[in-house]
Amino acid sequence: PNNLYRYAQEYNYTEISTKSLIDNIWANSYNCIANINTMLEYINKADPDIFSGNNMETYKGEALGLRAFIHLDLLRIFSSSPTSNRNAMAVPYVTVYDKAITPQKTVDETLDLIIRDLLDAMELLESDIITDHEIEYAQRRNRVVYFNYYAVVATLARAYLYKGDME
């Protein structure tokens, strides 16, 4: 049978179908990051009065968390691991929508940028923390499908583990 991933399963990265899959992962991931960066640029310029409640912080927190999440996956796929060479050049960590090429940093520096975005996202999404069991169901129902506080914490744990920071 025709298997789209056959050559990828065989680690044949020079096969055209595998190269296409890899190129799509790269392009689609950075396209998502570009959209996130555009959103962050405009949300920072927006009049805070157009948002109700803590929606501005929520949107910013979700965007920062997603940007870090995507960069972490790109780092894991396309860069050296911290255990093999933490000083190797890593994927570009893009934080602005711009035509200029973002310079690469080391794997360690890129992980630090990922962790910084996640810590900022965690702070912005503190309203997702459930402390009152009476509102627990409504809160979870409304925020469960978004990149909420708990998704950020899980991604932060992944980043620290990948970096080798077990504390």
Side-chain angles (χ1 to χ4, degrees):
N2 184 9
N3 185 349
L4 176 65
Y5 303 105
R6 173 181 164 213
Y7 296 108
Q9 289 170 328
E10 296 171 357
Y11 304 103
N12 184 349
Y13 301 124
T14 58
E15 173 61 37
I16 191 75
S17 62
T18 306
K19 286 175 90 170
S20 177
L21 287 169
I22 292 168
D23 290 346
N24 284 336
I25 291 169
W26 181 271
N28 290 333
S29 296
Y30 275 107
N31 184 51
C32 288
I33 290 168
N35 288 326
I36 290 167
N37 287 334
T38 300
M39 177 189 154
L40 284 167
E41 178 185 343
Y42 283 98
I43 204 168
N44 287 329
K45 293 178 182 177
D47 178 2
D49 293 335
I50 67 170
F51 299 95
S52 61
N54 65 339
N55 283 344
M56 184 176 190
E57 290 80 15
T58 299
Y59 297 147
K60 285 172 72 171
E62 289 173 347
L64 288 171
L66 281 169
R67 180 171 75 186
F69 178 87
I70 296 168
H71 277 103
L72 179 59
D73 272 353
L74 286 169
L75 180 73
R76 291 175 50 247
I77 295 169
F78 293 106
S79 300
S80 294
S81 72
T83 55
S84 67
N85 187 357
R86 60 180 61 258
N87 294 313
M89 288 290 120
V91 296
Y93 197 86
V94 183
T95 58
V96 294
Y97 181 73
D98 195 356
K99 291 180 183 178
I101 296 174
T102 301
Q104 292 174 274
K105 297 185 181 310
T106 67
V107 170
D108 254 0
E109 290 170 327
T110 303
L111 276 166
D112 289 341
L113 292 171
I114 290 167
I115 290 167
R116 187 194 68 210
D117 267 356
L118 290 167
L119 290 172
D120 289 347
M122 221 169 78
E123 188 176 315
L124 289 164
L125 294 170
E126 284 180 345
S127 64
D128 282 345
I129 299 172
I130 298 166
T131 56
D132 184 349
H133 292 291
E134 290 179 18
I135 63 165
E136 181 174 351
Y137 175 74
Q139 181 85 0
R140 286 191 180 168
R141 186 186 70 225
N142 291 334
R143 297 279 305 135
V144 74
V145 296
Y146 297 97
F147 204 85
N148 62 25
Y149 177 87
Y150 301 101
V152 169
V153 171
T155 305
L156 184 60
R158 285 180 62 215
Y160 279 132
L161 286 172
Y162 192 66
K163 187 174 182 177
D165 184 347
M166 300 306 168
E167 286 185 38

